[in-house]
Amino acid sequence: MSFPLLTATAVVPAVGAIATAAVPAAKRTAAKWLALFFSLATLALAAVVAVRFNTGSGADRYQLTESHSWIADFGVRYELGVDGIGVALIGLTALLIPFIIVAGWHDADPQETGNTRWRPTQGFFALILMVEAMVILSFEATDVFLFYILFEAMLIPMYFLIGGFGDRAHSGSDQNAAAQRSYAAVKFLLYNLVGGLIMLAAVIGLYVVAGTFSLTEIAEMRASGELNMATNTERLLFLGFFFAFAVKAPLWPLHTWLPNAMGEATAPVAVLITAVVDKVGTFAMLRFCLGLFPGASEWATPVILVLALVSIVYGALLAVGQRDIKRLVAYASISHFGFIIMGIFAMTTQGQSGATLYMVNHGISTAALMLVAGFLISRRGSRLIADYGGVQKAAPILAGTFLIGSLATLSLPGLAPFVSEFLVLVGTFARYPVIGIIATFGIVLGALYSLVLYQRTMTGPVKVETAKMPDLKLRELLVVGPLIVLLVFLGVYPKPLTDVVDPAVGHTLSDVYGDENPDPEPEVAAK
Amino acid sequence: MENLIALLVAAPLLGAVILLCGGRRLDRTGHWLGTLLALGSFVVAALLFTDMLGRDGEDRAMHQHLFSWIPVGGFQADIAFQLDQLSMTFVLLITGVGSLIHIYSIGYMEHDERRRRFFGYLNLFLAAMLILVIADNYLLLYVGWEGVGLASYLLIGFWQHKPSAATAAKKAFLVNRVGDMGLSIAIMLMFTTFGTFAFGDVLAATGETSEGKLTAIGLMLLLAACGKSAQVPLQSWLGDAMEGPTPVSALIHAATMVTAGVYLITRSGAIFNAAPDAQLAVVIVGAVTLLFGAIVGCAKDDIKKALAGSTMSQIGYMVLAAGLGPIGYAFAIMHLVTHGFFKAGLFLGAGSVMHGMNDEVDMRKYGGLRKYMPVTFVTFGLGYLAIIGFPGLSGFWSKDKIIEAAFAYGDGVRPWIFGGVALLGAGITAFYMTRVMLMTFFGEKRWQPTPDPHKEPSAEPAADDAHAGEMPHPHESPKSMTIPMIVLAFGSVFAGGLFSLNESFVHWLEPVTAFEHPHPVISVPAITASTMVVLAIGVAIAWFMYGKRPVPVTAPRGSVLTRAARRDLLQDDFNHVVLVRGGEHLTRSLVYVDHTLVDGVVNGTAASFGGLSGRMRKLQNGFARSYAVSMLGGTAVLVAATLLMRAV
């Protein structure tokens, strides 16, 4: 038996979580370094996965597969495998976690937070690694039940991360802050649990119909015509899955938990939510909704596209109206998730490749913007935009990196998000011109909220409170610098990523369209 | 030789990276580095130009393919360059004027503590602008297109501590983004129509699709051009953009970036030629802007804003010409180049005046400066004569050709309307430019003590506390500033004549843009004569109003039109009421809706489903929290149970 590489990518952070949690209370710094070490080891393994993954034509759809019997009575198996989309997202997760850890280096220090509970530092970093392990494994699971368990289980560490380690910058009293934090954490949990429970019903329903949880087996049955799913059954099951993913993604109108959660959590945890965990939702739409219920996916497309469009415009408009920096970024993310979902359900090669790249690029750009915002907030102790002004004068590097993060958020050509946003727009426009054109308004609104945020915080006369603001420290530069380099690199040369993603998108589209060419033909034949 | 093309972009791009990331240690040498790299790019351009001249007209286009940029399914975007006669013209203008303005800025920005960064932004601008004009496909053009927008944003807002500068920068970017929507949609339409957006493939296949498609693409390209080139209805940002340092106004907001729209339309000539309706729209936009800018230019007392109105108007001429099709493309580009010389020269002259006048921009507080700043006076004066179309100078050759071509547009009333507008514009140009000239260099001294800079953060770098309350002591600017002005003055005088010698400029561009001789509805000598008459009338009126009579230091109330023109013909007021106020109301109400309605309905639905109404409202008192935890516990039990099943 070959080395179980995929299992290892999840086991390493899980072991890291346990090891970090076990570090004695007094040795906080050791716990941090230990967590960082394990996250870097995971990154190395993810790199091995990417290298081992074969992108040539004729390569298997799912690679590096592992399969073991688990709950034989129910046909539940421990089945893993990755396609290009999974590889890209495992890479994103493994890449971001070390930055999240370094950015949150002091976020759980007890003497600063006044948090006297049992080993909070160890707990904070252990929980982050735990989330990483579950997220990575969920990108690998090809057994529906295994995926479901992970999808639900990752709520537990996330709940404690949001509720237990809030943002220190708060305008109200400590008690008020704690109440809002717990409201945000509970709201996060309830929304996602309700979504998960509905999905559980659909998972059981799927088993009743198909008699297996295995994605590959179901695909084979579908191909050979053995799978007999009534149209209505398929649609109901699809809705059950989609609902859970739409809550997680989140899609309008199920989005309201996200601004609360991102606003109250520390900046690194907010990044963990939106850049990493939420991607499981959009990933699962591609893998499970389209893969298991292609007919129903096509059936639901018009409604989903409209909801995605609403998300794009609505999220952007609400971002403009925010007074809290972190809530602004949260609404911007809602707008961006609209783009991702639109790209998926446009059902074209450009749309889905764009959506997959968008997941990766949004992860990096939001991390850059949100983590710098976190550094900014920690200097001033306030999340309110109105409390800032003229920061550019006092801390030019901080302002410069913040600007680059903002420019990435507004999808400036030359930075990575432009590539994905344009692909999504083109892919949508090719099949649904009107929706594509309306979505293009998103680029104006994106510029509006990004630049308004930059103008109000960084430019103008220097405020007394910001006059002596220190510039980025080395640790903070080490977080932001590489992210910016990546944004530029993937903006200029996204080919390594498209090479991995493109074949997987082809497979996903063939779930829906079979061997037909999924893309509308151009009017004038190519020469 | 072709492999040198990328070097054009690489040199200034390298400069931008080094200067912006290099830190303080480059403060003392950074401006030299930036200037050298700009000059290096110019040298490469000159080399490529001589190489190009050595070949036949049809065989001059060069290509360089660097790498595949976005390969996804049928969607292929490449980083690849194309340098033909049209691109070459722009490259020489951009690197040439760009280098001059780098040199000028060494002196102009000498006292600014952030000079290094200024040069980094200037280099970034050059790189983006060069990408824009040498890209071989529309998507890469888009990169340059937004890249110059970014550079423009950074440079307009260079003095970020001034709220007005930061607001102007943001406004410029946002208005441009509306135009960029047009470019995006045009590219998407090209992709769905032709399956590609490379210049060669799209422009060769225009015959294979319907006129309706081409009209749609053309109109979207026009929208893009309106944003970048400050054409009505997206012109409102250009006046505010004068918040940027004056060298920026000269380079970006006069000579190069704002003319990108003209480039886009000329480059896409094959599309417009096959879509007469789109062409008509282009001509109308050009004609309207031509008058709009000229009228605004007549009313402004701020020297830079008067020149900005003029820029808008002159680009209106170019857009008008580009809309005329093969009878106009070459003249549009010719006027673009001569305008690049004289308008950059005029702005640098204005900067020199401000430099000597403690950064005063109000022309009512100038007067009589010709004796104190002789070099500035002469170079500005030559630029003035060139722009009004004084016989023999550059503007005469290029603008007259556009008026002739406008008189040859279509049939019926069209040639009369558009020819008449172009002619009228020449008269107004003569009026407002004479006004600027007289108010600045002639008449009585109307100098005022410099206001206390603490009231308003300093606008220009030289304005520091030392000048507060002092009378200005106008003086000639240093050599680094006057030499670029002199060079540009040479261009303002001779370029037009040189280009018109044996129609050399037209023949140079013909292989790319095609050319047909215009046949105006009235004879060419009659047009030239009328132009001269209108010009004389414009100058005369200005002289009666501002030369013969003293200029009041505070502006008179003026007629309704004057007051409207001072406020940019009320466009900003419209924008403020409709877009800004309306937008604020919309977002505020949406925030409320999201907080109460969407959140409430979703929570309520969920709660009633779970039979939890009432409890949900008590989320914060721990009631629902315990519920959530119990739910979580339930899930945990579920998971544990499934795990145990295995053992059974």
Side-chain angles (χ1 to χ4, degrees):
Chain A
M1 197 184 92
S2 63
F3 179 73
L5 189 57
L6 292 185
T7 302
T9 55
V11 165
V12 169
V15 169
I18 295 164
T20 307
V23 173
K27 308 215 165 178
R28 285 199 321 276
T29 310
K32 294 173 184 177
W33 282 103
L34 195 65
L36 182 61
F37 169 79
F38 274 99
S39 71
L40 289 172
T42 312
L43 178 59
L45 278 174
V48 175
V49 170
V51 171
R52 292 270 302 275
F53 187 80
N54 181 359
T55 57
S57 60
D60 287 340
R61 175 170 185 176
Y62 295 113
Q63 298 180 25
L64 307 169
T65 48
E66 296 168 32
S67 181
H68 304 280
S69 178
W70 183 20
I71 311 169
D73 299 327
F74 282 166
V76 176
R77 297 179 67 82
Y78 176 80
E79 257 187 14
L80 303 183
V82 283
D83 58 1
I85 301 168
V87 171
L89 290 173
I90 291 168
L92 172 74
T93 308
L95 180 85
L96 286 183
I97 298 294
F99 292 113
I100 288 173
I101 288 176
V102 177
W105 205 247
H106 299 301
D107 281 1
D109 287 353
Q111 73 270 36
E112 288 186 31
T113 52
N115 188 337
T116 51
R117 272 172 300 126
W118 182 72
R119 293 197 284 189
T121 311
Q122 284 82 340
F124 182 72
F125 292 102
L127 287 169
I128 291 176
L129 286 174
M130 209 60 211
V131 173
E132 178 180 25
M134 293 182 192
V135 169
I136 288 181
L137 203 59
S138 72
F139 290 140
E140 295 167 347
T142 53
D143 184 283
V144 179
F145 196 79
L146 177 63
F147 174 82
Y148 170 73
I149 288 178
L150 293 163
F151 188 77
E152 286 293 80
M154 69 180 77
L155 298 179
I156 300 167
M158 281 314 300
Y159 169 77
F160 288 113
L161 277 172
I162 298 169
F165 303 89
D167 195 327
R168 277 169 247 164
H170 212 286
S171 49
S173 64
D174 282 356
Q175 206 178 359
N176 189 12
Q180 292 210 5
R181 191 157 64 234
S182 103
Y183 173 76
V186 172
K187 195 171 179 183
F188 161 82
L189 193 63
L190 277 181
Y191 267 71
N192 283 286
L193 272 180
V194 169
L197 285 179
I198 292 175
M199 181 182 164
L200 178 62
V203 168
I204 294 166
L206 177 71
Y207 182 72
V208 171
V209 178
T212 173
F213 288 116
S214 164
L215 208 56
T216 44
E217 272 178 45
I218 294 176
E220 275 165 28
M221 286 163 69
R222 183 183 296 284
S224 63
E226 275 175 65
L227 187 71
N228 210 347
M229 215 187 276
T231 313
N232 278 340
T233 318
E234 188 188 340
R235 288 177 183 176
L236 276 175
L237 294 179
F238 166 84
L239 287 177
F241 277 78
F242 183 79
F243 184 80
F245 304 149
V247 169
K248 183 145 283 190
L251 181 67
W252 188 89
L254 304 169
H255 64 276
T256 55
W257 63 268
L258 186 71
N260 287 90
M262 282 179 73
E264 298 305 324
T266 64
V269 172
V271 172
L272 190 65
I273 298 170
T274 185
V276 177
V277 174
D278 286 352
K279 297 298 182 319
V280 180
T282 44
F283 164 83
M285 287 180 193
L286 269 172
R287 180 173 274 186
F288 296 102
C289 286
L290 264 52
L292 293 171
F293 318 107
S297 299
E298 250 193 307
W299 161 76
T301 292
V303 176
I304 293 173
L305 282 178
V306 169
L307 289 178
L309 193 59
V310 172
S311 282
I312 292 172
V313 177
Y314 185 92
L317 283 174
L318 272 142
V320 177
Q322 294 306 310
R323 288 178 293 178
D324 175 319
I325 298 175
K326 285 163 80 189
R327 286 179 67 93
L328 188 151
V329 179
Y331 278 105
S333 283
I334 290 167
S335 181
H336 288 148
F337 276 109
F339 273 108
I340 297 174
I341 295 170
M342 190 172 85
I344 293 172
F345 283 89
M347 307 270 188
T348 55
T349 313
Q350 295 84 36
Q352 291 195 351
S353 294
T356 310
L357 292 187
Y358 212 126
M359 292 185 221
V360 175
N361 295 338
H362 169 259
I364 301 170
S365 67
T366 305
L369 182 62
M370 192 63 162
L371 292 177
V372 181
F375 300 148
L376 177 72
I377 289 167
S378 69
R379 282 164 166 69
R380 171 76 176 77
S382 167
R383 308 197 315 241
L384 293 180
I385 295 169
D387 284 343
Y388 294 87
V391 173
Q392 197 280 329
K393 189 99 180 157
I397 300 174
L398 190 155
T401 51
F402 193 75
L403 180 63
I404 296 175
S406 306
L407 293 173
T409 305
L410 63 78
S411 295
L412 187 84
L415 299 176
F418 168 74
V419 175
S420 39
E421 191 161 298
F422 198 81
L423 282 173
V424 166
L425 285 172
V426 153
T428 309
F429 181 84
R431 185 159 282 140
Y432 307 96
V434 176
I435 289 181
I437 287 176
I438 299 174
T440 314
F441 280 96
I443 71 172
V444 179
L445 295 173
L448 183 59
Y449 61 70
S450 303
L451 295 185
V452 165
L453 174 64
Y454 182 79
Q455 185 190 352
R456 294 197 180 146
T457 50
M458 299 297 167
T459 71
V462 183
K463 291 217 168 160
V464 184
E465 297 88 347
T466 54
K468 294 248 164 70
M469 191 174 272
D471 215 333
L472 289 188
K473 294 192 283 266
L474 181 64
R475 172 179 66 85
E476 295 164 330
L477 264 179
L478 284 176
V479 172
V480 186
L483 291 175
I484 289 175
V485 170
L486 262 174
L487 284 173
V488 175
F489 179 78
L490 288 178
V492 177
Y493 195 61
K495 196 165 173 290
L497 205 51
T498 57
D499 282 349
V500 173
V501 167
D502 226 20
V505 165
H507 285 300
T508 309
L509 279 170
S510 69
D511 286 341
V512 181
Y513 291 109
D515 294 333
E516 282 174 54
N517 178 7
D519 300 326
E521 289 284 340
E523 188 185 313
V524 178
K527 278 175 244 30
Chain B
M1 211 64 188
E2 292 183 336
N3 294 334
L4 287 182
I5 298 177
L7 210 57
L8 287 171
V9 177
L13 193 61
L14 180 74
V17 172
I18 294 177
L19 290 176
L20 294 177
C21 302
R24 297 255 155 83
R25 70 195 80 112
L26 288 173
D27 276 354
R28 291 180 51 190
T29 52
H31 45 285
W32 291 112
L33 181 75
T35 309
L36 275 177
L37 285 167
L39 280 167
S41 194
F42 178 66
V43 169
V44 175
L47 282 174
L48 287 163
F49 180 58
T50 48
D51 183 69
M52 195 180 262
L53 282 180
R55 279 178 286 149
D56 285 340
E58 301 296 328
D59 192 32
R60 281 179 172 161
M62 295 187 241
H63 298 269
Q64 185 182 15
H65 184 276
L66 286 187
F67 55 89
S68 171
W69 178 27
I70 313 177
V72 170
F75 184 96
Q76 295 295 332
D78 293 333
I79 304 282
F81 300 128
Q82 169 188 309
L83 191 68
D84 59 7
Q85 291 91 324
L86 180 60
S87 300
M88 192 74 237
T89 309
F90 273 88
V91 167
L92 287 172
L93 177 74
I94 295 160
T95 54
V97 176
S99 299
L100 287 176
I101 284 171
H102 273 75
I103 296 169
Y104 179 92
S105 305
I106 295 176
Y108 192 82
M109 299 298 281
E110 197 177 351
H111 304 290
D112 196 296
E113 54 173 355
R114 291 158 74 236
R115 177 164 66 167
R116 169 179 58 85
R117 193 185 299 205
F118 181 81
F119 276 83
Y121 292 161
L122 275 189
N123 272 358
L124 178 68
F125 168 75
L126 281 190
M129 189 71 206
L130 287 166
I131 291 176
L132 196 165
V133 297
I134 63 175
D136 92 330
N137 63 74
Y138 283 96
L139 200 66
L140 187 59
L141 178 146
Y142 191 22
V143 174
W145 189 266
E146 287 234 325
V148 292
L150 169 68
S152 165
Y153 169 80
L154 293 168
L155 285 163
I156 295 171
F158 187 71
W159 289 311
Q160 312 196 329
H161 51 92
K162 272 176 77 184
S164 56
T167 305
K170 182 190 67 187
K171 180 177 178 184
F173 197 94
L174 283 175
V175 175
N176 268 290
R177 268 261 154 151
V178 176
D180 296 349
M181 262 183 72
L183 188 53
S184 289
I185 295 173
I187 297 173
M188 295 192 279
L189 268 167
M190 286 176 201
F191 179 70
T192 54
T193 309
F194 304 107
T196 171
F197 35 78
F199 289 153
D201 299 338
V202 169
L203 299 175
T206 48
E208 294 172 51
T209 184
S210 64
E211 193 186 312
K213 274 272 169 63
L214 293 173
T215 305
I217 295 176
L219 290 176
M220 287 298 114
L221 291 174
L222 174 63
L223 179 64
C226 283
K228 198 57 78 194
S229 292
Q231 300 292 293
V232 176
L234 297 180
Q235 85 294 350
S236 67
W237 61 272
L238 187 62
D240 296 359
M242 297 299 123
E243 288 287 341
T246 305
V248 172
S249 313
L251 177 61
I252 302 185
H253 305 120
T256 56
M257 182 190 85
V258 281
T259 58
V262 182
Y263 172 77
L264 183 69
I265 294 171
T266 307
R267 174 58 77 198
S268 314
I271 295 172
F272 284 96
N273 292 346
D277 291 344
Q279 275 186 316
L280 178 63
V282 174
V283 172
I284 291 173
V285 164
V288 169
T289 312
L290 184 172
L291 288 181
F292 189 108
I295 292 169
V296 169
C298 291
K300 294 285 185 187
D301 291 332
D302 178 324
I303 187 169
K304 285 178 74 180
K305 294 204 169 168
L307 290 177
S310 160
T311 303
M312 206 184 275
S313 169
Q314 296 300 314
I315 298 172
Y317 270 106
M318 300 169 209
V319 169
L320 174 96
L324 300 175
I327 58 171
Y329 293 130
F331 299 135
I333 303 299
M334 187 160 122
H335 193 52
L336 192 155
V337 176
T338 59
H339 175 260
F341 289 131
F342 57 68
K343 187 52 71 60
L346 287 169
F347 265 110
L348 294 191
S352 175
V353 169
M354 288 155 59
H355 205 67
M357 292 292 287
N358 295 354
D359 299 316
E360 182 58 74
V361 290
D362 187 348
M363 293 188 291
R364 292 186 181 278
K365 296 174 187 164
Y366 292 165
L369 287 175
R370 67 181 184 282
K371 287 176 219 147
Y372 300 88
M373 315 177 82
V375 180
T376 307
F377 169 63
V378 171
T379 53
F380 195 94
L382 290 171
Y384 156 73
L385 291 175
I387 191 175
I388 65 169
F390 191 82
L393 272 66
S394 287
F396 168 77
W397 300 102
S398 54
K399 198 195 290 172
D400 258 30
K401 288 290 178 191
I402 295 181
I403 299 174
E404 281 170 30
F407 270 113
Y409 176 55
D411 37 34
V413 293
R414 278 189 196 176
W416 296 100
I417 293 177
F418 294 111
V421 167
L423 193 59
L424 178 63
I428 308 179
T429 308
F431 171 79
Y432 68 71
M433 282 312 300
T434 309
R435 176 177 176 268
V436 169
M437 199 66 199
L438 291 173
M439 284 173 89
T440 306
F441 292 104
F442 294 88
E444 296 293 309
K445 293 181 205 171
R446 297 178 303 275
W447 310 342
Q448 304 289 320
T450 310
D452 186 355
H454 290 296
K455 281 189 207 143
E456 166 84 358
S458 67
E460 299 271 331
D464 47 34
D465 297 6
H467 291 308
E470 271 179 36
M471 284 301 281
H473 304 285
H475 53 82
E476 192 51 270
S477 297
K479 283 233 165 52
S480 66
M481 289 167 68
T482 52
I483 289 172
M485 285 152 59
I486 293 168
V487 175
L488 289 169
F490 268 97
S492 314
V493 175
F494 299 113
L498 208 63
F499 292 163
S500 303
L501 212 63
N502 301 325
E503 295 196 313
S504 55
F505 194 82
V506 171
H507 291 312
W508 158 253
L509 279 185
E510 199 179 351
V512 183
T513 61
F515 178 69
E516 286 167 20
H517 272 284
H519 300 290
V521 286
I522 37 177
S523 71
V524 173
I527 295 177
T528 311
S530 329
T531 314
M532 288 304 118
V533 171
V534 202
L535 192 157
I537 296 173
V539 173
I541 297 177
W543 188 78
F544 275 110
M545 289 176 71
Y546 300 95
K548 210 170 157 215
R549 281 186 273 165
V551 179
V553 175
T554 43
R557 190 154 177 271
S559 65
V560 177
L561 181 66
T562 312
R563 273 176 281 149
R566 275 186 202 138
R567 300 180 69 87
D568 300 318
L569 295 178
L570 304 184
Q571 221 242 344
D572 274 339
D573 304 73
F574 174 83
N575 283 354
H576 191 75
V577 171
V578 176
L579 296 176
V580 180
R581 282 283 161 76
E584 277 171 5
H585 280 295
L586 178 67
T587 51
R588 232 176 275 154
S589 18
L590 274 180
V591 169
Y592 179 77
V593 166
D594 193 60
H595 203 68
T596 51
L597 214 63
V598 180
D599 207 18
V601 167
V602 174
N603 288 350
T605 316
S608 55
F609 263 109
L612 282 169
S613 35
R615 283 193 210 176
M616 278 300 288
R617 260 177 264 128
K618 296 173 186 165
L619 261 178
Q620 292 178 66
N621 66 7
F623 215 154
R625 191 178 180 186
S626 58
Y627 168 73
V629 173
S630 60
M631 242 171 124
L632 189 66
T635 314
V637 170
L638 193 76
V639 173
T642 32
L643 288 169
L644 277 174
M645 296 276 262
R646 198 183 169 204
V648 178

